């Protein structure tokens, strides 16, 4: 309530400003004012066309939706009729199949029994083959182990032979080097002798 008087004073000030604006508008040239009004009219016309286009599209969409709903309702009614006919037909078929299935059940039980016997025989054959396979794998593993052992022995023998050969070569090189040094020393003595 205390703040009301300042707002009234502000209102009076705004009134004074509006009066000032009216004074300015009176000074605007009629040609300029006409141009401004034409621009505003063009903008309003453009906005009107835009809104009209939106309204036309919305109306078209609404009509299309109504047409589609009508079509769907017709299709739904037709589908209901088809479903009822199919249901009746399926019921008749189910009863016929039920009788046929009852007749086939005993035959299937007999076939199941025969298949179980064949399956048991196959399981026995598979177990036999598995044992033979495991035995063959074990034998191959033994052969591979023996071959690996032979390779290790051969590698050790080759390494020993190689070391021995290198040792002999080192000895020969050493003897040749000593002989060469001795020959060089004798040659120098002969030169200065």
């Amino acid at each position: 309530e205390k703040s009301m008087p300042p707002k009234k004073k502000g209102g009076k000030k705004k009134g004074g400003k509006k009066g000032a604006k009216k004074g300015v508008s009176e000074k605007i040239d009629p040609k300029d004012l006409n141009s401004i009004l034409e621009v505003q009219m063009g903008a309003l016309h453009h906005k009107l066309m835009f809104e009209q286009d939106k309204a036309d599209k919305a109306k078209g969409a609404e009509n299309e939706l109504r047409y589609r709903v009508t079509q769907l309702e017709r299709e739904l009614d037709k589908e209901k009729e088809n479903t009822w006919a199919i249901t009746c037909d399926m019921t008749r078929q189910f009863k016929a199949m039920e009788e046929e299935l009852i007749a086939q059940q005993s035959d299937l039980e007999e076939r199941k029994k025969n298949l179980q016997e064949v399956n048991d025989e196959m399981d026995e054959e598979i177990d036999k083959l598995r044992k033979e396979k495991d035995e063959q794998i074990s034998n191959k593993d033994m052969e591979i182990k023996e071959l690996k052992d032979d390779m290790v022995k051969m590698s050790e023998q080759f390494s020993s032979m190689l070391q021995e050969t290198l040792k002999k070569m080192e000895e020969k090189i050493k003897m040749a080097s000593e002989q060469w040094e001795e020959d060089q020393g004798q040659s120098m003595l002969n030169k200065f002798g």
Side-chain angles (χ1 to χ4, degrees):
E1 290 178 357
K2 292 179 181 180
S3 60
M4 291 299 291
K7 285 184 179 178
K8 287 179 180 179
K9 289 179 181 179
K12 289 179 181 179
K13 287 179 181 178
K14 285 182 181 178
K17 287 181 180 179
K18 285 181 181 177
K21 284 184 179 179
K22 286 181 181 178
V24 172
S25 63
E26 291 174 359
K27 294 179 182 179
I28 294 176
D29 187 84
K31 293 180 179 179
D32 293 338
L33 182 60
N34 187 42
S35 298
I36 292 169
L37 292 174
E38 285 180 357
V39 170
Q40 290 179 348
M41 286 178 63
L44 290 172
H45 180 69
H46 179 72
K47 185 177 180 181
L48 178 63
M49 289 179 65
F50 178 74
E51 295 295 334
Q52 185 64 44
D53 184 60
K54 282 174 63 177
D56 291 343
K57 288 180 179 178
K59 186 66 177 176
E62 182 183 355
N63 291 336
E64 184 178 352
L65 182 61
R66 285 181 179 177
Y67 176 74
R68 182 60 181 160
V69 168
T70 303
Q71 279 189 325
L72 289 173
E73 287 176 349
R74 289 176 183 174
E75 291 176 3
L76 182 60
D77 292 338
K78 187 176 180 181
E79 191 65 27
K80 286 179 180 179
E81 293 176 2
N82 293 337
T83 302
W84 174 251
I86 291 170
T87 302
C88 293
D89 185 57
M90 290 296 291
T91 301
R92 288 191 296 270
Q93 291 184 23
F94 175 76
K95 289 179 179 179
M97 288 176 65
E98 186 178 20
E99 294 176 359
E100 185 180 354
L101 288 170
I102 291 171
Q104 291 178 353
Q105 186 174 2
S106 59
D107 181 55
L108 290 172
E109 290 293 336
E110 185 65 25
R111 290 175 63 185
K112 179 182 177 183
K113 182 180 177 182
N114 294 335
L115 288 171
Q116 186 62 46
E117 291 176 358
V118 173
N119 187 53
D120 293 340
E121 292 176 0
M122 289 180 65
D123 286 341
E124 291 177 3
E125 186 65 22
I126 289 170
D127 289 338
K128 181 181 176 182
L129 291 172
R130 186 178 289 112
K131 289 177 182 178
E132 291 177 357
K133 182 197 71 173
D134 292 341
E135 186 177 351
Q136 289 177 1
I137 291 173
S138 178
N139 293 335
K140 288 292 181 185
D141 289 341
M142 289 294 294
E143 290 179 10
I144 292 170
K145 185 177 183 303
E146 290 175 359
L147 287 171
K148 286 183 178 180
D149 292 341
D150 291 341
M151 288 176 65
V152 170
K153 289 178 182 178
M154 290 175 64
S155 176
E156 291 175 352
Q157 291 174 359
F158 178 75
S159 177
S160 178
M161 290 172 60
L162 183 61
Q163 289 179 0
E164 186 176 350
T165 302
L166 289 173
K167 186 176 179 182
K168 289 180 180 179
M169 288 179 66
E170 287 177 357
E171 290 176 354
K172 288 182 179 181
I173 292 170
K174 184 177 180 182
M175 289 175 62
S177 177
E178 290 175 352
Q179 184 64 41
W180 183 80
E181 289 177 357
E182 185 178 343
D183 291 345
Q184 289 295 318
Q186 187 63 40
S187 176
M188 293 295 289
L189 288 173
N190 291 337
K191 282 183 180 180
F192 290 103

